[in-house]
Amino acid sequence: MKRETTENNISTKRIAYVIGTVALFILGTSIMAFRAELLLDELFCLIMVNLVFLAVYFLVLMKKRRSGQLFSRSTGYGKFFLLMVFAWICEVLFCYLPEYFAPMMLLGVLLTTLLDESLSLSLGIYFIMTQCITCGLSTNVFYCYCILCILGVLLSGFLKSNTRVEALYVYIIYFLINVTIPVIFYYIAYLEIHPKTFVYGIANGLVNCVVLLIFYHPLYHWTRDEEKVSYGWLIEDEYSLVKDIRNFSLAEYNHARRVSRLSALCAKEINANAQCAACAGFYYRLGKIEGEPEIDNALKVANNHCFPADVMDILEEYGGIIRLPQTPESAIVHMVDALVTKVEILDKDTMSSTWNQDMVIYQTLNELSQKGLYDESKMSMNQFLKIREKLVQEDALL
């Protein structure tokens, strides 16, 4: 059965980030409430609303992460917390801007760098509601900001365009929306338009476009680079879990290093995710260190250390016991681990001959393939042959 990843066992880090996010919402709401001179009982009610909203929001967030509905199942709570810090800074600063002309469209767009549309919309509208309540803004302002936020989220996908012409059109659209929508709602509210209204609208549009131009792509890539950073960090010699493996058994540590190195080389050979293969290869036998039930215990440790989701999938597919390898990376790690294990059993005199080593590689990998262990991995026969030849070309497996 497919494991619903990462939240089945709550890690200490995630709990800390969740608590930090709750504290951040309470702090942000308190700052805005004190600025508006709200009574303590009103502040208490807003805090209670925060708690109810966040309880449901995190429940939905965890469900979407488990089912892989987010852009990346490795979306980290740490980055979510940092994004909320940025959002609350914007929320507080927006209180000092003229009514109708706070760049709420910007807030909605930046939330999409980490979250999907539904999560971005719900969070953006909640920020708008909080500001309207604490700042005493009218219903028209609320409608105006909601429309800006909704349009910003809906159009955010076009900002990822690689063509300059299309990107230019998108920024022009953003600029025009941020000028016209606030001006229209200002007229609806006051039935008049002053020259400064257009000045505010133009300034609002320029701020949105300039901030998006400078920050959107770096922020988007920063949220998507989490896995690349995690892969390398998790197999550094100074990482705590690596030290634990080395202290437990030097032989197990050396085996993990061999599997990690060879898995990365094989993954590069077929343009698969080499960093994922290296990380999963190092921890492939983590369950042997933790003891029975090996796979469950390995997953618990990996979860507590916030492993990327695809690495945890490979650990769950260890040996093809629960589930056959589902990805090329998982198949690579499986065949490399099986090969290195077999080579380590043989004596060095047997493996000193290049001919003997080549025969062991061919025989071992062919037997694994004939058993159908990689039929579900989406690895083609051509890729399998490339991996086999790459391992044959290695001077030494020990």
Side-chain angles (χ1 to χ4, degrees), residues 159-199:
L159 290 172
K160 306 178 185 69
S161 172
N162 293 322
T163 63
R164 293 184 178 181
V165 175
E166 185 175 341
L168 177 62
Y169 288 153
V170 173
Y171 282 107
I172 291 175
I173 292 172
Y174 268 105
F175 174 78
L176 293 176
I177 290 175
N178 280 282
V179 173
T180 56
I181 295 297
V183 170
I184 289 172
F185 274 94
Y186 184 92
Y187 179 80
I188 292 174
Y190 299 105
L191 298 178
E192 60 180 1
I193 296 180
H194 300 287
K196 69 176 182 180
T197 306
F198 290 102
V199 174

Side-chain angles (χ1 to χ4, degrees), residues 57 60-61 63-65 67-72 75 80 83 108-124 153-154 156 160 224:
Y57 192 86
V60 176
L61 180 63
K63 183 178 184 299
K64 285 179 175 286
R65 278 169 51 87
S67 60
Q69 294 179 43
L70 290 180
F71 293 122
S72 170
T75 298
F80 178 77
L83 186 63
V109 175
L110 294 180
L111 290 175
T112 63
T113 59
L114 185 68
L115 305 169
D116 65 8
E117 289 185 356
S118 62
L119 291 174
S120 299
L121 276 175
S122 57
L123 192 56
V153 171
L154 293 178
S156 62
K160 306 178 185 69
R224 296 306 183 272

Side-chain angles (χ1 to χ4, degrees), residues 100-296:
Y100 299 98
F101 297 100
M104 285 298 177
M105 194 175 195
L106 174 64
L107 181 61
V109 175
L110 294 180
L111 290 175
T112 63
T113 59
L114 185 68
L115 305 169
D116 65 8
E117 289 185 356
S118 62
L119 291 174
S120 299
L121 276 175
S122 57
L123 192 56
I125 292 175
Y126 184 78
F127 277 123
I128 292 170
M129 292 171 60
T130 302
Q131 182 165 112
C132 288
I133 292 173
T134 55
C135 297
L137 301 179
S138 67
T139 305
N140 284 331
V141 177
F142 174 73
Y143 290 157
C144 175
Y145 287 166
C146 283
I147 291 176
L148 289 174
C149 181
I150 292 170
L151 293 177
V153 171
L154 293 178
L155 291 171
S156 62
F158 294 99
L159 290 172
K160 306 178 185 69
S161 172
N162 293 322
T163 63
R164 293 184 178 181
V165 175
E166 185 175 341
L168 177 62
Y169 288 153
V170 173
Y171 282 107
I172 291 175
I173 292 172
Y174 268 105
F175 174 78
L176 293 176
I177 290 175
N178 280 282
V179 173
T180 56
I181 295 297
V183 170
I184 289 172
F185 274 94
Y186 184 92
Y187 179 80
I188 292 174
Y190 299 105
L191 298 178
E192 60 180 1
I193 296 180
H194 300 287
K196 69 176 182 180
T197 306
F198 290 102
V199 174
Y200 289 154
I202 294 172
N204 184 30
L206 290 175
V207 168
N208 273 270
C209 292
V210 171
V211 173
L212 288 177
L213 188 63
I214 296 174
F215 292 106
Y216 181 80
H217 286 286
L219 188 59
Y220 179 82
H221 291 300
W222 173 70
T223 59
R224 296 306 183 272
D225 285 342
E226 178 185 25
E227 292 184 10
K228 296 181 181 179
V229 175
S230 297
Y231 292 135
W233 175 56
L234 288 170
I235 57 177
E236 291 284 342
D237 276 334
E238 297 305 314
Y239 186 64
S240 60
L241 194 53
V242 175
K243 290 181 179 179
D244 290 342
I245 295 175
R246 187 167 59 241
N247 293 334
F248 173 81
S249 170
L250 187 58
E252 193 64 37
Y253 170 80
N254 290 331
H255 173 92
R257 280 296 177 204
R258 294 188 192 102
V259 175
S260 176
R261 179 179 66 85
L262 292 171
S263 296
L265 290 175
C266 293
K268 289 179 181 178
E269 189 69 15
I270 63 171
N271 296 320
N273 191 333
Q275 291 180 316
C276 171
C279 185
F282 185 86
Y283 291 107
Y284 199 55
R285 300 208 304 190
L286 181 61
K288 289 185 173 295
I289 299 173
E290 297 300 320
E292 296 289 345
E294 292 183 1
I295 295 177
D296 287 343

Side-chain angles (χ1 to χ4, degrees), residues 314-325:
I314 295 175
L315 297 186
E316 187 184 18
E317 294 161 6
Y318 171 75
I321 299 171
I322 296 178
R323 183 176 67 244
L324 294 179

